Amino acid sequence: MFELFLVSALLFSLWGLCKSIVRIVLPPAHFPRNIPTIPFYYTLIPLFKEVDQEELYHKYLERPLTEWGAVKIYFGGHWNVLITRPDYMAQVLKHDDDFPKAGNHVKNPHSVLAMYTGENVISAVGDTWRHFAALTKPALQADADASIIVKNAHILIGNLLQECDTIGSVDMLDHIQAYAIANVSESLLGSSFDALGNPNHPLLKLQREIKPKIFNPFHLNFPSLDQFYIPSRETAKRLVKRFKTELASLVMQGHSHACHQDSSNLGCRLLSAHENGQLSEYHLQQNTLITFVAGHENPMILILSSLFILADKQDLQERARKEVITLPPPDRMNPDALATLPLLTSIIFETLRMYPPLSQIMNKRTASDVMLGEDILLRAGTYTGYNGYCTNRNREFWGPDADIFRPSRWGETVNDMNMLYRRATSKAAFITFHGGKRTCLGQKWALAAHRVTMSVFLTSMVWRLDPTWPRKMTPAGPLMPKKLRLQLQRIEYGA
């Protein structure tokens, strides 16, 4: 009898194991059968070999996505439908009630990543999102204080040139991250963390320790394991709790004055809402954190991509520099004046088109059965996402040279460029800032800060790729040059 029990238990365990493996290896039976399936191991490849995500895209994703406009793909512990065709994307972005957000706190509630990002203005839905948007939108869409960006940019350039003089070239990532953190903390959150030029700042050290644990490819793809007691994941959870607490504390320290909810500063608005009982401690922490994370990581990635492109295209860098110095010195630091420059505008738009910082996102879930286009049935509860790298290179909209960096495609005048920008966004052929009701609220601030950043760079130094730098993009996650190294040389333009 005991032997029979053991055999039954073993068979039951094997059956459960086989069932779990099948759930990973094969998409659910209710998923649409008239679109291709990407091999389940695609997202696991960076675990086993050194890869470049652009190369992975061209090998595994480009053909099925280009031909079909949607595929089935395993990502983040679930099978998803990855959507790229612009008319499909336009439907998804327009009908937010059919395709509501489903952040990590919904998709993988027990994961370390869900603990990190939680429910916030980006991931929330319904009345909760409207409440968060009403709090954050006025501050995010106010005119940026360019003086903060200019001050930090000059400090950054001084640090870069000093290091370059010492060792001949500079690894840009940590410097640009500290710069982007200084901008978001001072400009949006209203608190100086004094992280720029201080690589040993506790918050920077803590984040450097957290990120490899949160974005470990294995745990990103098998987040359900985080609900079990695994010492390394317990350490990650403790680090996340500590980081959120310390970040909120630093923001509070910068606001010893009385905060008002009608302030133009986002940090003030969030703290005031918390003090007035309109924002819980949890939601204060999560909205502070997502402002910090999205407000520095996406601008950091855009800066790195821009520096890479202009380092690679020296003639274009010089033309952009000559255009900027046609402005009077005060206007070179004015985002509104810089927005009138056609070449600079086209370079920024083209960089955003070809290298969207978040190239692939899986953060929506169908609320009910819905037909995508005319013949792809998505059952209720299907997780969906998009690949901006593919959509932004749609040849039907952008032409046969959509994979070529060509700023002139945007037009000759800034008015032409802005019109194409709006048309491409409305047609969902340019989704770097998403679209529809959930368009990125920080778009205006990000573009203004980037224009000023590039102007300071262009008028302060010339930069080139370090010949020893292995030309590669990151293997997964945010799309950017991997460990970009540049050679820098100071230049000066007086009044």
Side-chain angles (χ1 to χ4, degrees), residues 303-346:
I303 294 169
L304 288 168
S305 295
S306 300
L307 293 175
F308 161 64
I309 288 167
L310 293 180
D312 193 44
K313 302 178 185 301
Q314 287 290 304
D315 178 65
L316 185 61
Q317 183 186 144
E318 186 56 29
R319 286 170 54 206
R321 181 174 293 110
K322 288 178 178 178
E323 183 186 57
V324 169
I325 63 173
T326 62
L327 294 174
D331 284 347
R332 297 174 197 167
M333 307 299 126
N334 181 335
D336 293 332
L338 292 167
T340 67
L341 299 179
L343 182 58
L344 182 64
T345 298
S346 66

Side-chain angles (χ1 to χ4, degrees), residues 33 211 228 301 393 490:
R33 299 188 179 185
K211 287 181 75 172
F228 301 110
I301 296 165
R393 295 170 183 236
R490 183 187 297 275

Side-chain angles (χ1 to χ4, degrees), residues 9-121:
L10 179 60
L11 289 173
F12 184 79
S13 299
L14 287 173
W15 177 80
L17 178 62
C18 291
K19 192 174 179 182
S20 297
I21 292 172
V22 168
R23 284 195 187 121
I24 295 171
V25 175
L26 299 175
H30 67 269
F31 264 46
R33 299 188 179 185
N34 56 341
I35 57 175
T37 299
I38 304 301
F40 81 94
Y41 56 79
Y42 165 76
T43 54
L44 302 179
I45 293 174
L47 277 172
F48 304 105
K49 57 187 290 190
E50 183 76 14
V51 292
D52 176 324
Q53 64 179 291
E54 278 195 301
E55 295 172 0
L56 281 181
Y57 167 81
H58 291 301
K59 182 174 181 179
Y60 291 95
L61 295 182
E62 182 177 22
R63 183 173 178 181
L65 284 176
T66 301
E67 290 184 8
W68 297 86
V71 299
K72 293 167 285 191
I73 188 170
Y74 185 81
F75 180 82
H78 299 268
W79 278 93
N80 309 260
V81 173
L82 180 63
I83 301 165
T84 58
R85 209 168 87 182
D87 57 326
Y88 292 166
M89 277 307 308
Q91 177 187 347
V92 171
L93 296 174
K94 181 179 181 181
H95 299 285
D96 191 56
D97 292 338
D98 292 335
F99 298 90
K101 289 284 188 78
N104 293 300
H105 67 294
V106 173
K107 197 171 185 178
N108 298 300
H110 302 292
S111 67
V112 174
L113 184 57
M115 178 185 291
Y116 186 63
T117 56
E119 186 179 46
N120 55 65
V121 68

Side-chain angles (χ1 to χ4, degrees), residues 252-484:
M252 289 179 186
Q253 289 173 25
H255 292 272
S256 55
H257 55 277
C259 282
H260 300 285
Q261 205 162 312
D262 59 354
S263 171
S264 61
N265 179 267
L266 181 54
C268 247
R269 294 178 69 88
L270 293 174
L271 289 171
S272 176
H274 174 57
E275 291 166 3
N276 295 335
Q278 296 176 308
L279 206 60
S280 68
E281 182 77 19
Y282 168 75
H283 284 139
L284 171 65
Q285 285 192 355
Q286 296 306 148
N287 281 291
T288 301
L289 185 140
I290 204 63
T291 300
F292 174 83
V293 171
H296 93 263
E297 287 195 351
N298 294 342
M300 172 192 78
I301 296 165
L302 176 57
I303 294 169
L304 288 168
S305 295
S306 300
L307 293 175
F308 161 64
I309 288 167
L310 293 180
D312 193 44
K313 302 178 185 301
Q314 287 290 304
D315 178 65
L316 185 61
Q317 183 186 144
E318 186 56 29
R319 286 170 54 206
R321 181 174 293 110
K322 288 178 178 178
E323 183 186 57
V324 169
I325 63 173
T326 62
L327 294 174
D331 284 347
R332 297 174 197 167
M333 307 299 126
N334 181 335
D336 293 332
L338 292 167
T340 67
L341 299 179
L343 182 58
L344 182 64
T345 298
S346 66
I347 290 171
I348 292 172
F349 286 179
E350 187 73 342
T351 304
L352 287 165
R353 182 187 73 83
M354 290 199 68
Y355 297 102
L358 295 177
S359 59
Q360 184 169 289
I361 302 177
M362 307 285 187
N363 67 349
K364 287 179 174 286
R365 183 176 63 177
T366 53
S368 58
D369 290 357
V370 60
M371 193 67 76
L372 182 66
E374 297 180 354
D375 59 356
I376 301 176
L377 175 62
L378 302 180
R379 294 295 187 184
T382 299
Y383 288 105
T384 66
Y386 60 86
N387 186 298
Y389 184 92
C390 179
T391 299
N392 287 359
R393 295 170 183 236
N394 180 269
R395 292 181 180 88
E396 290 184 17
F397 187 92
W398 296 106
D401 67 345
D403 286 319
I404 304 299
F405 187 88
R406 184 169 64 84
S408 61
R409 76 174 71 249
W410 290 89
E412 294 185 3
T413 69
V414 170
N415 186 54
D416 292 339
M417 296 169 191
N418 287 330
M419 286 180 62
L420 179 55
Y421 187 96
R422 289 191 292 269
R423 184 166 70 88
T425 300
S426 69
K427 296 289 185 182
F430 178 83
I431 57 173
T432 301
F433 291 106
H434 320 308
K437 289 194 299 184
R438 303 302 295 264
T439 296
C440 174
L441 295 176
Q443 178 178 178
K444 178 184 176 182
W445 179 83
L447 287 173
H450 188 68
R451 289 187 181 103
V452 173
T453 297
M454 294 312 299
S455 178
V456 176
F457 268 69
L458 287 164
T459 56
S460 301
M461 62 184 185
V462 174
W463 62 94
R464 298 175 177 82
L465 295 175
D466 184 331
T468 65
W469 176 65
R471 192 186 182 108
K472 276 190 174 292
M473 303 301 278
T474 45
L479 176 64
M480 58 183 171
K482 182 182 178 181
K483 298 181 180 179
L484 178 66

